[in-house]
Amino acid sequence: MSAVNDTKFTHVMFLLSRIPGMEDDCLWIAIPFCFIYAISIVGNSVILFIIKTDPSLHEPMYIFLSMLALTDLGLLITTMPTILSTFLFNNREIILDACFAQLFFIHSLSNVESSLLLLMAFDRFIAICNPLRYTSILTLSTITKMALAVMLRSVALIFPLPFLLKRFQYCRRNSLIYSYCVHAEVMNLACSDITVNIIYGLCVKVLTVGFDSLFIFLSYVMIFKTVLSVTSSTERLKALNTCVSHLCAVLLFYIPDIGLSILHRFGNSSSLLLQIFLSYIYMLLPPLMNPIVYSVKSKHLRAKIIRGLFK
């Protein structure tokens, strides 16, 4: 659909984009995407099934892990059908309401994942710094309340975004740079004043990723301080080993997220390809790697998975 300069005109749909300069290789790009999608779905589903069916894994750490797996599945289901449809069938059109709904779920689930990583950091903090009170602090009731608070915070902060976007006229170009919808890209297609959206989007980022990453950092400062006070090197390594999986999950999520935020605000046309690749890493890598990392590092979980596969 060609751009129209009439400010009273609103596009009825957006056009999703593939990777610039690689349009002829879409099939070859879609094949690894399909494998990543399938492996991620299976991996996270196995994690959920093993934790649900094994009472010995009904501990705070594994309950938080199951929430993380469920969130990753939600992100995959929200984004991957659109991405695969774009690359495999060149189905690039998406109506405005569907785009607004997709970006709502993407941003809400991303914020939930950020908050879950904070809760998992809190879990490791209590387990290492106050182990005698671990079971009394992280009861099932407390975990349930924290999970509800996480969901309510994420939904409440993202809920206004579709309505803020829907009030705009979209009369310029209607082609997004990604093969899925996000707030920053849709906002830039509007031919209205987007100052409110910019300020609100920045506030949401600070209140979610900003605060979550800060508190995760402070949690690990306290954890390392406690671990270094332990005289036995064996005990120190054992305590730190329980944090490796969570640290990997934190890095997999926050590095691409922070990188994308910087590129959205300060990037230029020369960084477009980097921005697109980083967006796919942000969407696809955590759901793929989280089950693998936790399965490799957790002997208890790994043993249950192997036993279940043999059965």
Side-chain angles (χ1 to χ4, degrees), residues 32-47:
F33 277 3
C34 289
F35 276 112
I36 291 172
Y37 187 31
I39 294 170
S40 301
I41 291 288
V42 171
N44 286 285
S45 299
V46 168
I47 293 288

Side-chain angles (χ1 to χ4, degrees), residues 214-280:
L214 175 62
F215 287 122
I216 290 172
F217 174 75
L218 293 176
S219 296
Y220 273 99
V221 168
M222 298 301 295
I223 287 171
F224 290 137
K225 183 178 177 181
T226 302
V227 168
L228 291 175
S229 66
V230 177
T231 55
S232 171
S233 59
T234 304
E235 290 299 322
R236 284 201 298 267
L237 289 174
K238 184 178 179 181
L240 290 174
N241 191 52
T242 64
C243 301
V244 171
S245 301
H246 178 254
L247 282 171
C248 290
V250 168
L251 294 175
L252 286 170
F253 179 82
Y254 282 109
I255 290 177
D257 188 23
I258 294 171
L260 272 176
S261 297
I262 294 171
L263 288 174
H264 275 144
R265 285 165 176 78
F266 306 109
N268 49 41
S269 58
S270 62
S271 62
L272 178 61
L273 197 59
L274 174 61
Q275 187 174 328
I276 292 172
F277 277 114
L278 201 58
S279 72
Y280 288 122

Side-chain angles (χ1 to χ4, degrees), residues 44-45 58 112 114 128 189-190 201 241 259-260 269 309:
N44 286 285
S45 299
H58 294 175
V112 168
S114 176
I128 293 173
L189 299 185
N241 191 52
L260 272 176
S269 58
L309 290 174

Side-chain angles (χ1 to χ4, degrees), residues 73-121:
L73 283 173
L75 277 170
L76 287 169
I77 293 170
T78 302
T79 56
M80 284 307 294
T82 305
I83 293 173
L84 293 178
S85 177
T86 303
F87 279 92
L88 286 173
F89 308 112
N90 196 26
N91 185 12
R92 299 177 56 201
E93 296 179 347
I94 182 170
I95 62 173
L96 266 64
D97 288 340
C99 186
F100 297 153
Q102 185 182 55
L103 70 85
F104 168 77
F105 284 110
I106 288 174
H107 290 296
S108 296
L109 290 169
S110 295
N111 288 342
V112 168
E113 181 148 351
S114 176
S115 300
L116 286 174
L117 291 173
L118 173 59
L119 295 184
M120 295 171 86

